[in-house]
Amino acid sequence: MTIAPEQAAWFHETFGLIADNVEQALLGKRHVIELVLATAVSGGHVLLEDAPGTGKTALARAIGQTIHGTSSRIQFTPDLLPGDVTGITVFDQKSGEFEFHAGPVFANIVLADEINRASPKTQSALLEVMEEGQVTIDGVTRPVGTPFLVIATQNPIEQGGTYRLPEAQLDRFSIKTSIGYPDEAATMRILQGVGTPKGELEAIVGTDTIVAMTELSRSVYVNPLVSDYIMRLVDATRRASEVRLGVSVRGAIALSRLAMTWAAAAGRSYATPDDVRELAVAALAHRLVLEPEAEFDGVTQNAVVNQILLDVPAPRENGVA
C-alpha cells in the first residue's frame, strides 16, 4: 500500500519540525541534521568522522530530547569491556538471584564516541546490537527498544592507539558523514549566544511518532526504474578499476530505504533518481575498499562514487509512474 498524499504532507511537516528543533543545538548544519534524522527513521545508524568539538554530542542529545526519548554517551577507550556497553548480570546476595544491570546501549539515541579507540571485541558488542536491536546475556535476550539509533564517531586525525573498523563492520552503518565546523555567520551567532538553547530542548514528538514515520516511509513508492538505477550504481562500484571491494547488497538496501524516507521528508509519496543521487555518497562511499595503488595516488571513496554518478545515466522518466 502506497503512502497517501495527506500522510506524505504530515510526514514532511513533522520531519521539518523535528529538524527545526534540533537545529537550535547545532546551528548552520541543517543538511547533516536531516541526513541523521532520515537515517534514524529508516532504521539505520550513523558514522561521523569528525574532529573534536564539532557538536557530535550536542547532536545526539538534541535528537533524544526532541523525540522525548532517552540518550546515552559511551566514551570508547582501550580498556572498555563489552559488558560496559551492553550491561552485565550481578549476583544479589540479599535476594540470592542474578540481577541484570542494563548498559548505556539501552537508549533511543546512543553516542559511541571514538569507537575506533576500543578493542575489536568491544566494537563487535556494539555492532551486534546495531544489527539485531537486542542484547543476549546469559541466555536471556533483551530488546533495546525502538527507535534505536547509534551515532558512532571517530577522529580522522589521531590514529595512534586506535583499532580501525573492519570493512564488514563499516558496512553496518547506513551512512558516513561529518558535521564539520560552522560557517562564519553560525559561529558569530554561537559566540554571541544567539539561538543557543538554554538547558534542554522542548520535546516535539514522542518515540511512537518516529515509529509511525518509519512505517510510513516503507510505503513510499519506488519505481522499478529507480530500483534499477540503484542496482546499476552499486554494480558500477564493483566494476570500478580503483575499487577492490564494491558495495554490498546491504548497502543497496540502505540507499533504497534512505531514498524512500528522503522522499517522504520532501512531502512526496514516491522516490526519484534525484533522491538517490543526493544520498549516494553518504550511503555508499564508506563501503568501498580501494586498491592500494589508487589510495597511494590520492583517490578517495567519495571521488569514486561522484564519478560513478556522472558515468551512470539516471532514468529519463525521473522514476515516476
Side-chain angles (χ1 to χ4, degrees):
M1 185 177 177
T2 307
I3 181 173
E6 58 271 17
Q7 291 175 316
W10 172 83
F11 193 111
H12 168 68
E13 182 182 358
T14 306
F15 192 91
L17 288 173
I18 296 171
D20 289 342
N21 204 55
V22 174
E23 196 175 11
Q24 294 181 63
L26 210 66
L27 295 174
K29 295 297 176 183
R30 180 73 177 205
H31 183 68
V32 176
I33 291 169
E34 290 179 344
L35 264 181
V36 174
L37 288 177
T39 304
V41 172
S42 302
H45 305 284
V46 179
L47 179 62
L48 293 178
E49 191 168 79
D50 248 327
T54 50
K56 300 181 293 291
T57 305
L59 173 62
R61 187 182 298 117
I63 294 174
Q65 292 171 355
T66 299
I67 67 171
H68 205 272
T70 55
S71 61
S72 65
R73 178 179 179 273
I74 310 170
Q75 180 63 55
F76 278 69
T77 55
D79 60 346
L80 192 73
L81 298 174
D84 297 329
V85 175
T86 59
I88 57 173
T89 52
V90 179
F91 184 74
D92 190 333
Q93 292 183 336
K94 290 184 179 180
S95 64
E97 296 178 349
F98 283 94
E99 186 177 287
F100 178 68
H101 289 215
V105 79
F106 285 86
N108 297 120
I109 313 294
V110 178
L111 177 66
D113 220 354
E114 294 188 295
I115 188 174
N116 55 335
R117 291 204 176 279
S119 68
K121 187 175 183 179
T122 303
Q123 291 176 3
S124 298
L126 175 66
L127 292 161
E128 182 182 359
V129 183
M130 289 165 52
E131 184 73 11
E132 306 294 337
Q134 60 188 23
V135 173
T136 302
I137 297 176
D138 296 335
V140 180
T141 300
R142 297 175 174 86
V144 293
T146 52
F148 178 58
L149 170 69
V150 172
I151 302 177
T153 73
Q154 54 184 15
N155 188 338
I157 306 301
E158 298 176 7
Q159 296 301 323
T162 62
Y163 300 85
R164 182 175 176 178
L165 286 174
E167 286 74 18
Q169 295 184 353
L170 282 172
D171 199 35
R172 303 290 179 92
F173 292 96
S174 297
I175 67 166
K176 178 185 176 184
T177 186
S178 63
I179 297 175
Y181 295 113
D183 57 25
E184 291 183 4
T187 302
M188 282 297 296
R189 292 179 64 193
I190 293 169
L191 292 175
Q192 295 171 355
V194 179
T196 305
K198 304 295 188 289
E200 291 195 0
L201 292 174
E202 181 184 351
I204 298 296
V205 297
T207 54
D208 55 335
T209 301
I210 303 299
V211 173
M213 292 174 75
T214 300
E215 293 176 357
L216 278 178
S217 70
R218 300 286 167 85
S219 301
V220 169
Y221 176 71
V222 181
N223 190 286
L225 290 171
V226 176
S227 295
D228 178 71
Y229 182 47
I230 293 173
M231 183 187 69
R232 287 187 288 115
L233 289 174
V234 168
D235 186 59
T237 67
R238 299 167 184 167
R239 292 184 286 103
S241 60
E242 308 94 337
V243 177
R244 181 156 51 96
L245 183 66
V247 174
S248 66
V249 175
R250 182 190 281 128
I253 294 171
L255 178 54
S256 179
R257 287 181 177 174
L258 278 167
M260 293 163 77
T261 302
W262 204 251
R268 283 183 278 106
S269 59
Y270 55 89
T272 70
D274 287 339
D275 296 324
V276 175
R277 292 175 64 85
E278 196 167 350
L279 298 162
V281 172
L284 302 182
H286 66 286
R287 304 174 195 271
L288 303 182
V289 180
L290 300 180
E291 293 285 0
E293 296 83 1
E295 287 189 280
F296 183 76
D297 291 339
V299 176
T300 64
Q301 296 160 313
N302 286 14
V304 171
V305 176
N306 278 318
Q307 185 59 48
I308 287 172
L309 287 171
L310 292 174
D311 295 341
V312 177
R316 292 184 179 180
E317 297 178 21
N318 208 30
V320 181

